Short mmCIF file of all heavy atoms in Angstrom, two decimals:
data_model
loop_
_atom_site.label_atom_id
_atom_site.label_comp_id
_atom_site.label_asym_id
_atom_site.label_seq_id
_atom_site.Cartn_x
_atom_site.Cartn_y
_atom_site.Cartn_z
N ALA A 467 55.01 18.83 -31.46
CA ALA A 467 54.25 18.98 -30.21
C ALA A 467 55.09 18.42 -29.07
O ALA A 467 55.42 17.23 -29.06
CB ALA A 467 52.93 18.22 -30.30
N CYS A 468 55.45 19.28 -28.14
CA CYS A 468 56.24 18.87 -26.97
C CYS A 468 55.43 19.11 -25.71
O CYS A 468 54.74 20.13 -25.59
CB CYS A 468 57.54 19.68 -26.87
SG CYS A 468 58.69 19.36 -28.19
N HIS A 469 55.54 18.18 -24.78
CA HIS A 469 54.89 18.42 -23.48
C HIS A 469 55.62 19.53 -22.74
O HIS A 469 56.83 19.70 -22.88
CB HIS A 469 54.88 17.15 -22.64
CG HIS A 469 53.95 17.23 -21.48
ND1 HIS A 469 54.30 17.81 -20.28
CD2 HIS A 469 52.66 16.85 -21.34
CE1 HIS A 469 53.27 17.76 -19.45
NE2 HIS A 469 52.26 17.17 -20.08
N GLU A 470 54.88 20.27 -21.95
CA GLU A 470 55.47 21.42 -21.25
C GLU A 470 56.60 21.00 -20.31
O GLU A 470 57.58 21.74 -20.14
CB GLU A 470 54.38 22.15 -20.46
CG GLU A 470 54.85 23.49 -19.93
CD GLU A 470 53.70 24.36 -19.43
OE1 GLU A 470 52.58 24.24 -19.96
OE2 GLU A 470 53.94 25.15 -18.51
N ASN A 471 56.50 19.81 -19.72
CA ASN A 471 57.59 19.36 -18.85
C ASN A 471 58.90 19.18 -19.62
O ASN A 471 59.98 19.40 -19.09
CB ASN A 471 57.21 18.04 -18.16
CG ASN A 471 56.32 18.27 -16.96
OD1 ASN A 471 56.35 19.33 -16.35
ND2 ASN A 471 55.49 17.29 -16.62
N LEU A 472 58.77 18.79 -20.91
CA LEU A 472 59.97 18.66 -21.74
C LEU A 472 60.58 20.03 -22.01
O LEU A 472 61.80 20.20 -22.03
CB LEU A 472 59.63 17.95 -23.05
CG LEU A 472 60.80 17.70 -24.00
CD1 LEU A 472 61.87 16.84 -23.35
CD2 LEU A 472 60.32 17.05 -25.29
N VAL A 473 59.72 21.03 -22.20
CA VAL A 473 60.20 22.40 -22.40
C VAL A 473 60.94 22.88 -21.15
O VAL A 473 61.98 23.53 -21.23
CB VAL A 473 59.03 23.35 -22.76
CG1 VAL A 473 59.53 24.79 -22.92
CG2 VAL A 473 58.33 22.89 -24.03
N LYS A 474 60.42 22.55 -19.97
CA LYS A 474 61.09 22.94 -18.72
C LYS A 474 62.48 22.32 -18.63
O LYS A 474 63.47 22.99 -18.34
CB LYS A 474 60.25 22.50 -17.51
CG LYS A 474 58.94 23.26 -17.33
CD LYS A 474 58.17 22.66 -16.15
CE LYS A 474 56.83 23.37 -15.96
NZ LYS A 474 56.03 22.76 -14.89
N VAL A 475 62.54 20.99 -18.88
CA VAL A 475 63.83 20.31 -18.82
C VAL A 475 64.78 20.87 -19.87
O VAL A 475 65.96 21.14 -19.60
CB VAL A 475 63.64 18.79 -19.00
CG1 VAL A 475 65.00 18.08 -19.08
CG2 VAL A 475 62.82 18.21 -17.86
N GLY A 476 64.25 21.06 -21.10
CA GLY A 476 65.08 21.59 -22.18
C GLY A 476 65.58 22.98 -21.87
O GLY A 476 66.76 23.30 -22.07
N GLY A 477 64.70 23.85 -21.35
CA GLY A 477 65.10 25.21 -21.01
C GLY A 477 66.19 25.23 -19.97
O GLY A 477 67.17 25.97 -20.07
N TYR A 478 66.04 24.42 -18.95
CA TYR A 478 67.03 24.39 -17.87
C TYR A 478 68.37 23.87 -18.36
O TYR A 478 69.43 24.49 -18.15
CB TYR A 478 66.51 23.52 -16.71
CG TYR A 478 67.20 23.78 -15.39
CD1 TYR A 478 66.52 24.32 -14.32
CD2 TYR A 478 68.55 23.50 -15.23
CE1 TYR A 478 67.14 24.56 -13.10
CE2 TYR A 478 69.19 23.75 -14.03
CZ TYR A 478 68.48 24.28 -12.96
OH TYR A 478 69.11 24.53 -11.78
N ILE A 479 68.35 22.71 -19.05
CA ILE A 479 69.61 22.08 -19.46
C ILE A 479 70.33 22.89 -20.53
O ILE A 479 71.55 23.08 -20.48
CB ILE A 479 69.34 20.63 -19.92
CG1 ILE A 479 68.97 19.77 -18.69
CG2 ILE A 479 70.55 20.04 -20.63
CD1 ILE A 479 68.64 18.34 -19.00
#
Side-chain angles (χ1 to χ4, degrees):
C468 293
H469 194 276
E470 191 167 330
N471 279 334
L472 182 60
V473 178
K474 291 176 181 176
V475 174
Y478 199 113
I479 290 178

